[in-house]
């Protein structure tokens, strides 16, 4: 066997060098375990590396969308804006990698192709684009929104102009000056990028299938008083946020619209519109669960769209008719106002789906001559990054076959038949319905403690029991069924991808989830099986 072909051995393999992967590497090193990250990209950053389209920024305040594991780090790092833009977030993760000397533990340009559990030695055998690895544990830190959805538009391969996708944006700056640009999709990525592209492009054609609710970010330079206040009580601030349903320091949601005076409700919603962004529901606990309360909030936004967009027909096309929050809420800077520009045109794909893309045109209600086509068509969310890898567990069970009728996981951390495999923010955990950063840290801490516990207690192999997994997913769905989240087509329930099983995947409710995680640990990892004998 040549040097390159040698199997490299580690205690733990981590897949993905985003926020989850690099923190996981740090934690495992502290435990004294050997670990390596395999990363497909040529640099760290995960989602913040790939999604570098114009306007990309977080929509949870940066004081919250950041690591909390190191007090010095959180005190010393200063964000320039309330919601930081993608370049600054990338700078931050690079800073963390350097500060904690993590770079030498990452293999770049190395895509994981397959992972097979070898039952005879209880180890994972992993093949990448560059080599072969053997490890006791595999941790998938592959993100929830990392596999782009590229719909098969008829004739797309014939397009001779520039084809871009928001979720794999080139590293070189793109200049749209003088160009006729088409963008397909009106989710968060499009809503962030459209206002900026419109400022440059000669013409911008927005192809919309479903309109979205979007709340103004009211972004701006970091308020130094707020920063000082948060930093003076950072660890308590973080703890308090875990007690909020979505893990975000929004306005507490103690009131019910159904029991409140409508004028007061509208006043509160106006305040939220002016300042809360993603926390727009703040103040009212019944918006996600009571259709009438939801209608009050939805109508508030619908009226705002009517006020912001001058042309009534365009305003009406931009107005969603489904429950607010059913699709992930968007946060924007001047999105609706952009449609008042002469060079921006909205095309309704519900009435006129895309018929054909040719060398220079895109055709729906008519043919549009374009120079650039941007796909802002979303992701194979929550499961895509796992099912795209050929993963086989016990008895050669394939993960994508086991999940054919819907993904099942215990706590979003472990999957039955896949021993010593952990997922960070996997399906069945709050993940995308929470602030991802604390949720990532919560999972990485949990996984690391679990591995440590196994070492201390002389356990070799852990896997979730099928019963625990079944019961867990039943609970995930029971909670979701109490809300309006399941009525709407969204990537939360796989409806954005035709071939995908339709099931609601995120766990709703950070505080309950946190309690349950603690309970599982306090009962010696209840629901998991150790050292299973066949
Ligand atoms: O993707 P999306 P995204 N023909 O799935 C349309 C996070 N994020 O990248 O709704 C025509 O939301 C699709 O239409 P429809 C955030 O969690 C965060 O924008 O399926 N259209 C939709 O309009 C977000 O929710 C930030 O009818 C097609 C759009 O494409 C998630 O990532 C910023 C189509 C896809 O919207 C995904 O957002 C950006 C087809 N065949 C993203 N297929 C922050 O602010 C799809 N569409 C932190």
């Amino acid at each position: 066997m040549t040097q390159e072909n040698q199997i490299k051995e580690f205690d733990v393999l981590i897949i993905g060098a985003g926020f989850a992967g690099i923190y996981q590497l740090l934690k495992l090193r502290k435990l004294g375990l050997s670990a390596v990250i395999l990363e497909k990209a040529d640099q760290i950053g995960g989602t913040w590396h790939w999604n570098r389209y114009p306007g990309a920024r977080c929509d949870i305040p940066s004081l919250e969308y950041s690591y909390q594991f190191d007090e010095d780090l959180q005190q010393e790092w200063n964000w320039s804006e309330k919601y930081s833009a993608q370049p600054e977030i990338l700078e931050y993760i690079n800073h963390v990698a350097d500060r904690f000397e993590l770079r030498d533990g990452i293999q770049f340009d190395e895509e994981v192709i397959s992972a097979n559990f070898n039952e005879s030695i209880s180890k994972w055998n992993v093949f990448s684009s560059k080599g072969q690895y053997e490890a006791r544990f595999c941790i998938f830190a592959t993100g929830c929104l990392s596999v782009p959805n590229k719909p098969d538009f008829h004739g797309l391969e014939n397009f001779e102009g520039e084809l871009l996708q928001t979720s794999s944006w080139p590293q070189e700056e793109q200049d749209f000056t003088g160009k006729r640009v088409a963008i397909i999709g009106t989710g968060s990525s499009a809503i962030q990028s459209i206002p900026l592209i419109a400022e440059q492009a000669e013409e911008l054609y927005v192809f919309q299938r479903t309109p979205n609710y979007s709340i103004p970010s009211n972004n701006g330079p970091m308020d130094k008083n707020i920063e000082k206040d948060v930093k003076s009580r950072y660890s308590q601030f973080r703890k308090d946020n875990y007690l909020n349903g979505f893990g975000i320091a929004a306005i507490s949601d103690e009131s019910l619209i159904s029991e409140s005076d409508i004028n007061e409700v509208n006043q509160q919603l106006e305040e939220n519109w002016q300042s809360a962004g993603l926390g727009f529901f703040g103040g009212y606990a019944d918006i996600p669960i009571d259709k009438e309360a939801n209608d009050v909030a939805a109508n508030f936004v619908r009226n705002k769209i009517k006020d912001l967009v001058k042309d009534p027909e365009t305003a009406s096309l931009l107005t969603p008719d489904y429950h607010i929050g059913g699709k992930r809420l968007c946060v924007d800077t001047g999105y609706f106002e952009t449609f008042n520009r002469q060079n921006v045109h909205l095309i309704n794909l519900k009435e006129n789906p895309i018929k054909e893309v040719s060398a220079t045109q895109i055709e729906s209600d008519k043919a549009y001559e374009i120079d650039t086509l941007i796909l802002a068509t979303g992701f194979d969310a929550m499961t895509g990054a796992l099912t795209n890898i050929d993963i086989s567990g016990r008895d050669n069970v394939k993960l994508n076959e086991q999940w054919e009728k819907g993904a099942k996981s215990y706590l979003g951390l472990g999957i039955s038949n896949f021993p010593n495999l952990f997922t960070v923010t996997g399906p069945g955990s709050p993940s995308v319905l929470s602030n991802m950063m604390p949720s990532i840290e919560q999972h990485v801490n949990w996984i690391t403690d679990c591995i440590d516990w196994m070492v201390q207690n002389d356990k070799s192999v852990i896997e979730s029991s099928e019963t625990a997994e079944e019961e867990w997913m039943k609970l995930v769905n029971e909670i979701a069924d109490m809300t309006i989240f399941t009525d709407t087509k969204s990537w939360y329930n796989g409806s954005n991808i035709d071939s995908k099983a339709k099931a609601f995947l995120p766990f709703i409710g950070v505080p309950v989830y946190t309690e349950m995680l603690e309970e599982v640990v306090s009962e010696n990892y209840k629901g998991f099986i150790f050292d299973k004998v066949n």
Side-chain angles (χ1 to χ4, degrees), residues 272-401:
N272 295 356
W273 175 266
Q274 300 293 344
S275 62
L278 210 53
F280 174 70
F281 291 0
Y284 301 107
D286 51 355
I287 298 177
I289 52 172
D290 174 346
K291 290 186 176 154
E292 281 175 26
N294 190 278
D295 250 357
V296 172
N299 282 334
F300 181 92
V301 180
R302 291 174 187 139
N303 286 330
K304 286 287 182 190
I305 299 172
K306 212 189 278 175
D307 291 346
L308 290 168
V309 181
K310 288 187 188 134
D311 173 46
E313 205 180 315
T314 307
S316 150
L317 263 184
L318 286 167
T319 302
D321 60 3
Y322 52 86
H323 299 312
I324 186 165
K327 277 182 188 292
R328 206 262 198 187
L329 208 55
C330 302
V331 176
D332 70 277
T333 303
Y335 175 66
F336 293 115
E337 297 89 323
T338 297
F339 290 89
N340 295 329
R341 296 177 66 108
Q342 294 298 313
N343 67 333
V344 177
H345 318 275
L346 184 64
I347 296 109
N348 180 4
L349 292 183
K350 277 258 164 70
E351 227 166 68
N352 297 293
I354 291 165
K355 292 194 188 89
E356 169 110 42
V357 179
S358 66
T360 58
Q361 294 182 333
I362 176 166
E363 190 182 347
S364 120
D365 55 331
K366 62 177 191 174
Y368 295 84
E369 281 287 333
I370 53 167
D371 305 299
T372 305
L373 175 56
I374 301 172
L375 303 179
T377 42
F379 300 87
D380 182 351
M382 306 203 68
T383 55
L386 298 164
T387 52
N388 263 21
I389 299 172
D390 180 11
I391 306 175
S392 34
R394 279 199 193 282
D395 300 323
N396 269 327
V397 172
K398 300 265 183 201
L399 183 66
N400 49 23
E401 286 172 14

Side-chain angles (χ1 to χ4, degrees), residues 53 57 59 186-189 192 209-210 327-328 376-378 491:
Y53 56 82
R57 61 176 69 248
D59 58 7
T186 47
S188 296
S189 305
Q192 286 188 328
R209 188 163 67 182
T210 315
K327 277 182 188 292
R328 206 262 198 187
T377 42
W491 57 258

Side-chain angles (χ1 to χ4, degrees), residues 48 51 53 56-60 65 145 149 151-153 166-167 184-192 207-212 322 327-331 349-350 354 376-379 432 489-492 495-496:
W48 295 105
N51 291 268
Y53 56 82
R57 61 176 69 248
C58 57
D59 58 7
I60 288 174
Y65 194 85
L145 296 159
N149 169 36
D152 190 15
F153 296 114
T166 47
S167 49
I184 305 176
T186 47
S188 296
S189 305
I191 282 178
Q192 286 188 328
F207 290 84
Q208 171 190 274
R209 188 163 67 182
T210 315
N212 252 303
Y322 52 86
K327 277 182 188 292
R328 206 262 198 187
L329 208 55
C330 302
V331 176
L349 292 183
K350 277 258 164 70
I354 291 165
T377 42
F379 300 87
V432 295
K489 282 188 172 180
S490 80
W491 57 258
Y492 291 147
S495 317
N496 64 328

